[in-house]
Amino acid sequence: MAQRTEGLRRPERASRALVAIPVAWIVAVSVIDVLAPPNIHLGPLLVAAPAITASFGGPWTVGLVAALAVIAQTVIGLLRDPDTLLSSNHQAQIMALILVGICLVLFCVVRERRAKELERVRYVSETAQRVVLPSLPGRLGPLRAASLYLAAEAEARIGGDLFAAVRTTSGTRLMVGDVRGKGLTAVNDAALLLGAFRGAAHRQASLGELVAYLDRSVCWDLMEPGETSRYGETFITATILDIPDHGGRVQMISCGHPPPIVSRDGRPMTMDASRPAPPLGLGELSRPRYGVDSFPFEPGDLLLLYTDGVTEARDSTGTFYPLAERITGWSQDDPDAFLGRLRRDLLHYVGGHLNDDAAMIAIQRPATSRARSPGPSRQAGIGKGYQLP
């Protein structure tokens, strides 16, 4: 809240300083017009003052500058035509200034109202993202973790990319995924899958049973309303991992999702799935048997999970972002610093704007840390040997 308040105060201070520009313009035009020959009239240039103010000021500021311009035009008329109160030319210029000033004030009122509405929409979007897709904690048992979400649309701030982590009695289960489509439908589908994962990943079931359960949950949730045997066209690509606390190999099931990358001493290694499964939501069509792949994850390694918004980002020539090549040689001492560097490099590569949402997770097994016991599951009613429905 303090950062938000400070961010609002900075533009206000800047706008106050910028008011000096139209005021100086009014003074300069007025002095030159009074000293100019009788056949030269610079009064119409005063309309530029409220027009400039509208680019940075609010209705009250614009109204004040417009009033100063009207007063200046009146003073110019009185000084240049002392024999008459005001010539018809000056009267026309004053009326024109008043009309332009009123229009600019109305424009600023409408603009501020729209800006407040947009600010409320952004606030709701940020709140929804924190509820639906909270950032990962810095610690997952013995593992260090960091997460990052980059929305393609700054006004939206949330989309169909998703990630989640759940602690079990022996390790950590991770999921990263991407919902087909965009908008509120994608956000709703992502929330449904996240809820199913968080509710089931605690349970003592194999990784294959967990993914089968998630696929059935997605099929049920994405079924077209009023239909009992037809499924919608939406599906979700995902990678689900089981990382043991006390070393050993990481188990993985990839459901049509980009492969994770393990960085060891600055050398990235892509962990392609030898037995990939179809995306979640298509299981009823293909009846897959979920094969589990595994790969080593040693102390000091950094595991990077991401969505296709990263690898499908393009530069000005249309070339895809070469993720493994770009992170070669990077230090992986801190997951947060690693993702911060990746964010800067990715945005620089694409020129500052992504065409698709992107989510990233960095997990590190510290080289000198000891694995700690995760303790009992926080999920109520979950006992050892409980199977998924």
Side-chain angles (χ1 to χ4, degrees):
M1 182 63 70
Q3 292 177 351
R4 181 184 294 272
T5 304
E6 180 62 24
L8 293 174
R9 286 176 180 171
R10 284 198 207 100
E12 291 177 0
R13 291 195 292 263
S15 63
R16 293 194 196 104
L18 291 173
V19 171
I21 296 176
V23 172
W25 178 264
I26 292 174
V27 173
V29 170
S30 300
V31 172
I32 296 174
D33 198 6
V34 170
L35 299 178
N39 61 330
I40 297 177
H41 298 278
L42 300 180
L45 294 177
L46 291 172
V47 74
I52 293 173
T53 309
S55 64
F56 59 83
W60 287 103
T61 305
V62 173
L64 176 61
V65 173
L68 291 176
V70 171
I71 294 173
Q73 183 62 54
T74 304
V75 171
I76 291 172
L78 293 174
L79 293 176
R80 297 197 61 166
D81 298 298
D83 297 334
T84 60
L85 183 60
L86 282 175
S87 66
S88 57
N89 179 44
H90 283 96
Q91 291 178 5
Q93 292 180 21
I94 290 172
M95 294 302 298
L97 277 173
I98 294 174
L99 180 61
V100 171
I102 292 174
C103 292
L104 288 172
V105 169
L106 293 176
F107 165 77
C108 290
V109 169
V110 174
R111 184 186 62 187
E112 284 202 347
R113 191 171 298 170
R114 296 278 180 86
K116 290 179 180 178
E117 291 177 357
L118 180 58
E119 183 64 26
R120 286 195 293 268
V121 169
R122 287 178 173 174
Y123 177 74
V124 171
S125 178
E126 290 174 354
T127 303
Q129 184 180 34
R130 287 193 294 268
V131 173
V132 176
L133 193 65
S135 299
L136 295 185
R139 282 280 183 178
L140 294 169
L143 306 175
R144 300 171 66 188
S147 58
L148 178 64
Y149 189 96
L150 297 176
E153 298 295 335
E155 291 77 10
R157 310 244 175 145
I158 186 171
D161 289 13
L162 57 97
F163 52 77
V166 171
R167 293 286 296 149
T168 68
T169 56
S170 60
T172 301
R173 282 182 168 171
L174 285 170
M175 177 179 67
V176 61
D178 187 3
V179 180
R180 176 187 177 273
K182 297 182 180 294
L184 292 178
T185 301
V187 175
N188 179 68
D189 296 341
L192 292 173
L193 178 60
L194 287 169
F197 176 78
R198 290 166 182 155
H202 297 277
R203 303 175 180 180
Q204 303 299 318
S206 68
L207 199 62
E209 291 171 326
L210 171 63
V211 176
Y213 171 74
L214 294 177
D215 181 77
R216 292 196 300 271
S217 299
V218 172
C219 288
W220 297 332
D221 291 330
L222 301 185
M223 186 180 295
E224 297 291 348
E227 300 288 346
T228 58
S229 59
R230 295 179 60 190
Y231 297 89
E233 297 181 353
T234 300
F235 57 83
I236 305 173
T237 66
T239 295
I240 298 91
L241 304 176
D242 196 345
I243 306 176
D245 282 344
H246 304 285
R249 298 175 68 85
V250 175
Q251 292 187 325
M252 174 184 74
I253 294 180
S254 177
C255 300
H257 199 75
I261 292 176
V262 173
S263 179
R264 179 175 300 166
D265 298 325
R267 299 190 305 272
M269 298 170 286
T270 302
M271 302 300 164
D272 294 301
S274 61
R275 292 172 286 180
L280 299 175
L282 301 181
E284 291 292 328
L285 302 177
S286 58
R287 303 287 181 178
R289 296 182 62 184
Y290 294 103
V292 179
D293 292 285
S294 66
F295 57 86
F297 186 44
E298 303 296 336
D301 290 353
L302 184 136
L303 173 64
L304 178 63
L305 303 171
Y306 54 93
T307 59
D308 59 9
V310 177
T311 52
E312 293 183 1
R314 298 172 183 260
D315 63 6
S316 57
T317 65
T319 305
F320 289 120
Y321 182 74
L323 176 58
E325 176 185 330
R326 301 286 288 197
I327 65 175
T328 299
W330 288 13
S331 171
Q332 60 262 17
D333 293 337
D334 180 44
D336 281 305
F338 186 91
L339 287 189
R341 183 175 179 181
L342 179 57
R343 175 184 181 275
R344 292 189 298 271
D345 187 70
L346 177 63
L347 293 178
H348 175 75
Y349 185 85
V350 300
H353 178 74
L354 292 173
N355 292 323
D356 192 10
D357 296 344
M360 291 161 271
I361 301 176
I363 304 293
Q364 184 186 40
R365 191 188 296 279
T368 58
S369 68
R370 261 187 208 176
R372 295 178 296 177
S373 173
S377 171
R378 295 183 182 179
Q379 182 76 10
I382 303 302
K384 187 175 182 180
Y386 190 92
Q387 298 296 316
L388 297 178

